[in-house]
Amino acid sequence: METKTYTLKHPVPLPAKAGEAAGVQLTSITFRRPKAKDLVSIEKAAKDGFAAAQVAIIAALGDIPQEVAAELDAEDYEAAAGFADGFFPKASTPSTDGASK
């Protein structure tokens, strides 16, 4: 499976899971090619605007919770969104109006 990894410039604290110590940080995101189910969740998020769709893309293709993706520093958000967008053919990138670009 094709993947691309982006190293965060500003790591994000991860919520502690049961039995794990607090203080673990997300330092990189490995993106994978989208699946049909990802496209469905991204399309739903697009109804809430462009930024919501980008967060959904980062979360889906990076296999991280949307809550964590939403906490990315703006610099990392922009770069990570660009990384993830690279997996979409230009003709089918989701837009905020529900149409394809």
Side-chain angles (χ1 to χ4, degrees):
M1 176 183 275
E2 181 184 350
T3 61
K4 293 192 275 186
T5 299
Y6 172 72
T7 300
L8 299 174
K9 293 182 180 180
H10 309 278
V12 176
L14 294 172
K17 294 180 184 175
E20 289 184 0
V24 177
Q25 293 193 327
L26 179 69
T27 58
S28 66
I29 304 171
T30 299
F31 295 99
R32 60 169 171 75
R33 294 182 51 78
K35 298 177 183 177
K37 67 180 180 178
D38 300 322
L39 300 177
V40 170
S41 67
I42 292 163
E43 184 177 17
K44 288 178 184 175
K47 293 176 178 152
D48 291 331
F50 181 77
Q54 290 293 85
V55 168
I57 289 169
I58 293 167
L61 304 190
D63 291 322
I64 61 173
Q66 283 197 19
E67 297 78 20
V68 173
E71 291 298 323
L72 291 173
D73 180 87
E75 181 179 18
D76 286 323
Y77 160 82
E78 290 288 331
F83 251 66
D85 284 346
F87 284 112
F88 291 94
K90 294 302 173 207
S92 66
T93 301
S95 70
T96 58
D97 63 5
S100 294
K101 289 183 186 176

